[in-house]
Amino acid sequence: MGFGVKQLVAGKTFSGIVKVDPQFALPEPNAEYRKGMALNCEEAPLDVDIKGGGRVVVLNTNNLPLVGEVGLGADLVRLDGGAMCSPGFSCDSALQGTYIVRGCGRVQVVGTDGKRVLETTVKAGNLFIVPRFFVVSKIGNPEGMEWFSIITTPNPIFTHLAGRTSAWKALSPQVLQAAFNVPAEAEQVFRSKRNNAEIFFPPSN
């Protein structure tokens, strides 16, 4: 009598997880099979590295081509203790789902109408969503904070409101004066703050 399906599953109580005998020999992983399909974020080159501020690894079509097929990107961010991540938003209308991996800190999200929609302390295990064009900022507690975000575009582009790449720098002084209804002196003070910093601001001490 041939070996059949009934014999294969008889007496088994499958729950989706099978305990493998320690002596069972599994095939060795082949590096070629993971190429373009998997990326170790712990070993990947850093896209941003600010001493005392934080580090970022972005997953996009350059380092993980598969994300182009699924239409998703991601980033892994480590924020040092007491540092701040500049307020920013996805300028390509992407949603962000952010999971706190380690540490804790404060997060603030502001909507397109200027109203604060979230301000809370987050810790490892927390998950929150940042809607399209909403601005988000984070500040790490003394122990720092690490998070992983899934982004609904394979090549995410973010605009920050402070630092060297701030969107404010592209606006003329006259436009900023008119927008905020302030004198030229106040506009100069505003523009000079954090003008040459990156997206992470180390603690001032």
Side-chain angles (χ1 to χ4, degrees), residues 34 36-45 57-60 63-64:
R34 61 172 287 172
M37 298 286 290
L39 176 71
N40 187 335
C41 293
E42 301 284 344
E43 300 175 355
V57 173
V58 179
L59 280 70
N60 53 32
N63 54 18
L64 191 61

Side-chain angles (χ1 to χ4, degrees), residues 38-42 44 47 55-60 63-64 67 72-79 95-103 122-130 138 145-152 156 158:
L39 176 71
N40 187 335
C41 293
E42 301 284 344
D47 293 279
R55 289 150 297 285
V56 182
V57 173
V58 179
L59 280 70
N60 53 32
N63 54 18
L64 191 61
V67 299
L72 297 173
D75 61 17
L76 176 66
V77 183
R78 295 186 180 93
L79 190 64
L95 292 163
Q96 301 174 62
T98 298
Y99 176 78
I100 307 300
V101 180
R102 296 188 185 92
V122 291
K123 59 183 180 180
N126 287 167
L127 173 71
F128 63 93
I129 305 296
V130 181
K138 308 174 190 75
M145 184 165 61
E146 180 177 337
W147 64 86
F148 184 80
S149 295
I150 298 293
I151 307 162
T152 58
F158 290 94

Side-chain angles (χ1 to χ4, degrees), residues 84-91 94 96 107-119 128-138 158-162 167-168:
M84 175 181 179
C85 181
S86 169
F89 63 94
S90 170
C91 56
Q96 301 174 62
V107 60
Q108 186 177 100
V109 179
V110 176
T112 53
D113 57 359
K115 293 182 179 179
R116 192 177 308 153
V117 297
L118 176 67
E119 183 169 15
F128 63 93
I129 305 296
V130 181
R132 290 182 175 90
F133 300 117
F134 280 39
V135 174
V136 59
S137 182
K138 308 174 190 75
F158 290 94
T159 294
H160 292 272
L161 304 182
W168 300 120

